[in-house]
Amino acid sequence: MDTGDLAQRVMAGERRALARAITLVESARADHRADAAALVGEVAKAGRQALRIGLSGTPGVGKSTFIEAFGLFLVERGLKVAVLAVDPSSARSGGSILGDKTRMERLSRHPSAFIRPSPSQTQLGGVARRSREAVALCEGAGFDVVLVETVGVGQSETMVAEMVDLFLLLLAPAGGDELQGVKRGIMEIADILLVNKADGALLDVARRTCADYSGALRLLRKRAQDPEGFPKALMVSAVEGAGLEQAWAEMETLSGWRRDHGLWEATRAEQARHWFEEEVRHGLLRRLTENTSLAEKMAALREAVTTGQRTPAEAAEEVLSGFDRGE
Ligand code: GDP
């Protein structure tokens, strides 16, 4: 394949080329890996940057409704918006969280929007790498905002946080007890908490929930260099489109501040380092498992560890010294 040609077409903003490029980075085939890496490298050379926004929330909280409303809000302001999904659970459910055609119907038809369903994957590490490369491709294709959606299952948020500039957590109006249920780790990576469904009969509860979260955030922490008042909690109604303008203003304030203070670049540099190490780790593991004799040895030792005949450390050492000897 001529990755140079595909890269040019991606950078020219051709959506079919972008879709094809993402399919290439999602491919599990070993011979596609080198092409995918070359393609992403070529596209990255242009140095284009989008605002990358992570969005998480439990199923039913209103993520797709919010993305549809917020995405339309952005495209109406002349911005180009890409939406990607990271769904580590799709392997289990057998479907993709964006597979449902009724999701984001209006946004998906808009010429300034690009929506990519989540790949069905079995392994979180693989999902991470592919999503990160898909984000980079959308960035190179000239999108201004890349939204990365993930379901709230802990591990995936941490992974998405490593590939975005801002992280939003969507929450439902709820009583005080449920507030306790939001995992501390997720609160810590979120820059803005959005209490959705602040409309109709839920408005009062949403107000209380938002105040509760604001209080919890004050106790939690402020990232050392972020401006006063962040992270913060806001109310939105994805259905009514209420609060979107303020939410976007806050996102711009925070990302602008981070740019002005060198934090944007510092974070991206740190993320690049993280992904480099992940790639090396992943590549080493792949080499181990692709090596037939070592894979067989590992299978036997796994069994021996499971039945208690060998200790984990000792068995691992045997595999690694076999690898060192080039077995
Ligand atoms: P997801 O699973 O997080 O993607 O959630 P959906 O976007 O599919 O929304 C789940 C349900 O919540 C749907 O019935 C939506 O109509 C409803 N919903 C989403 N946003 C709002 C909102 O702002 N207000 C109200 N009242 N309902 C909403």
Side-chain angles (χ1 to χ4, degrees):
M1 171 183 313
D2 184 353
T3 50
D5 179 51
L6 187 56
Q8 289 308 318
R9 286 168 44 213
V10 167
M11 288 187 284
E14 279 183 41
R15 29 183 64 240
R16 279 185 56 201
L18 177 60
R20 223 180 115 209
I22 296 179
T23 304
L24 181 68
V25 303
E26 284 172 357
S27 168
R29 267 173 55 180
D31 59 324
H32 284 165
R33 278 311 309 154
D35 279 348
L39 175 73
V40 174
E42 192 62 33
V43 169
K45 275 191 209 147
R48 288 181 179 158
Q49 285 197 340
L51 176 62
R52 306 168 167 191
I53 303 173
L55 174 76
S56 182
T58 49
V61 75
K63 289 182 297 303
S64 50
T65 313
F66 174 80
I67 293 173
E68 165 105 335
F70 185 55
L72 287 168
F73 169 89
L74 295 175
V75 295
E76 276 157 19
R77 271 155 192 74
L79 297 171
K80 293 178 72 186
V81 179
V83 181
L84 301 166
V86 174
D87 179 16
S89 68
S90 61
R92 244 176 302 143
S93 63
S96 95
I97 51 169
L98 285 176
D100 181 351
K101 290 275 187 303
T102 59
R103 294 185 92 215
M104 305 166 204
E105 212 178 329
R106 284 176 58 212
L107 185 63
S108 65
R109 284 200 305 265
H110 198 285
S112 298
F114 176 86
I115 301 185
R116 180 72 178 189
S118 61
S120 33
Q121 295 297 337
T122 48
Q123 198 199 1
L124 199 57
V127 178
R129 188 182 62 218
R130 286 154 207 182
S131 305
R132 179 178 51 82
E133 288 181 335
V135 169
L137 290 172
C138 292
E139 208 161 39
F143 285 93
D144 302 296
V145 175
V146 181
L147 278 168
V148 187
E149 176 194 8
T150 183
V151 285
V153 292
Q155 216 185 341
S156 67
E157 275 97 0
T158 319
M159 189 183 81
V160 169
E162 291 284 358
M163 60 178 92
V164 297
D165 305 310
L166 284 181
F167 201 96
L168 311 179
L169 179 62
L170 215 56
L171 299 156
D177 287 352
E178 283 170 68
L179 188 149
Q180 310 295 322
V182 175
K183 297 211 174 60
R184 194 188 161 98
I186 297 174
M187 294 273 280
E188 290 193 333
I189 57 173
D191 295 302
I192 299 174
L193 305 187
L194 297 172
V195 180
N196 190 32
K197 310 193 184 184
D199 50 49
L202 288 170
L203 186 58
D204 275 345
V205 194
R207 243 183 229 123
R208 272 201 303 278
T209 309
C210 191
D212 285 350
Y213 280 115
S214 296
L217 286 175
R218 271 194 295 278
L219 291 177
L220 202 62
R221 63 107 183 72
K222 162 168 133 46
R223 269 185 208 109
Q225 309 100 321
D226 277 345
E228 209 44 51
F230 285 95
K232 64 174 63 177
L234 303 169
M235 287 192 293
V236 290
S237 164
V239 161
E240 294 185 348
L244 298 181
E245 195 151 353
Q246 196 201 342
W248 176 236
E250 299 288 1
M251 289 178 227
E252 285 199 297
T253 300
L254 184 56
S255 61
W257 168 284
R258 287 180 178 168
R259 272 186 201 277
D260 293 347
H261 292 76
L263 302 169
W264 174 292
E265 287 74 16
T267 304
R268 287 216 172 187
E270 171 57 31
Q271 289 174 341
R273 196 183 59 83
H274 168 84
W275 290 112
F276 163 69
E277 280 163 14
E278 281 295 299
E279 290 286 349
V280 171
R281 210 188 323 272
H282 198 265
L284 274 176
L285 265 179
R286 201 174 54 232
R287 277 164 180 67
L288 265 184
T289 49
E290 275 168 7
N291 176 326
T292 324
S293 69
L294 278 180
E296 279 166 10
K297 184 181 243 174
M298 270 181 82
L301 285 168
R302 194 177 292 122
E303 181 63 25
V305 168
T306 315
T307 55
Q309 290 163 284
R310 302 287 297 271
T311 69
E314 173 192 42
E317 192 49 42
E318 190 173 330
V319 173
L320 294 174
S321 43
F323 185 71
D324 286 343
R325 286 193 301 271
E327 275 175 19

